[in-house]
Amino acid sequence: MRVRGFPVALAALALAFGVTACTSQVGGQANPSSTTSVSTAPESNSAGSSRFADLDSCVLLDQALAGQGFPKSEPTVARSKESCRATKAATVDTPGSDVALSLQVGQNYRDNVGNPSQASEGNVNGRPAVEEREPQHSSGQCGVWMEVKPNSRALILMSASTDTASACKQVEEIAAKVEPLLPKN
């Protein structure tokens, strides 16, 4: 199986991070619930940093990925204080995948959608979110941006050695596990 876009995805995971049951569009054509989005995030600021003060993105990601064959997550090279990733190597029986979680203060969940024509708005467990297919214009990528009020977000990005629809299904499942671990809106 050919793994496409992993180097690009790893860079994107460090800088950026979709949604289930999407119904309306964000800056482009609305897509079914299997869509995602990527965005760049600003540095955390002190005004809202307490929103995630007691949360560790690596701990949250490990909880969401439990039992799925991923190794323990690790901080990303860029934004290591707010972002973590885990990479599962491809085997004969399973496709490889890379997933990242970033907890970003001072960013709205609708900000910085990288591929607006492939983004749609919806929710994850009732929490407002945006999902974008192929945020870096590469097959096998999908992302979810979830709102964390007052002005923060949690981003999840998946890059997989499968098709985009499968990557979106996987990121939606992970987002549904991360959402209850986030501060309530």
Side-chain angles (χ1 to χ4, degrees):
M1 178 169 281
R2 188 169 156 236
V3 178
R4 185 174 160 218
F6 267 24
V8 171
L10 290 175
L13 291 173
L15 299 175
F17 289 85
V19 181
T20 59
C22 297
T23 57
S24 63
Q25 67 185 37
V26 175
Q29 180 179 340
N31 290 299
S33 65
S34 59
T35 60
T36 321
S37 77
V38 168
S39 66
T40 55
E43 292 296 324
S44 295
N45 61 38
S46 60
S49 60
S50 63
R51 193 69 181 137
F52 295 125
D54 296 333
L55 296 179
D56 180 320
S57 58
C58 291
V59 171
L60 295 180
L61 186 57
D62 288 341
Q63 285 180 285
L65 297 176
Q68 297 182 42
F70 281 89
K72 184 174 170 66
S73 64
E74 57 189 39
T76 59
V77 174
R79 303 195 182 284
S80 61
K81 292 182 181 179
E82 64 189 40
S83 303
C84 275
R85 69 176 184 86
T87 302
K88 180 169 46 171
T91 66
V92 173
D93 299 325
T94 61
S97 57
D98 195 56
V99 64
L101 170 65
S102 183
L103 303 175
Q104 300 176 343
V105 175
Q107 285 286 279
N108 185 289
Y109 74 101
R110 294 177 177 155
D111 289 347
N112 307 61
V113 174
N115 190 359
S117 68
Q118 294 294 311
S120 55
E121 193 165 342
N123 71 79
V124 175
N125 299 336
R127 185 184 296 266
V130 170
E131 180 178 292
E132 183 181 3
R133 296 172 62 87
E134 302 179 2
Q136 295 293 312
H137 305 278
S138 183
S139 172
Q141 295 178 344
C142 200
V144 173
W145 288 242
M146 291 185 282
E147 177 182 54
V148 180
K149 288 184 178 180
N151 190 30
S152 298
R153 66 184 178 186
L155 306 176
I156 303 168
L157 183 64
M158 165 74 68
S159 182
S161 58
T162 60
D163 60 278
T164 301
S166 295
C168 287
K169 184 177 186 306
Q170 287 178 310
V171 80
E172 289 169 3
E173 291 169 0
I174 295 167
K177 291 178 181 178
V178 168
E179 187 281 328
L181 305 173
L182 299 172
K184 301 297 177 213
N185 277 343

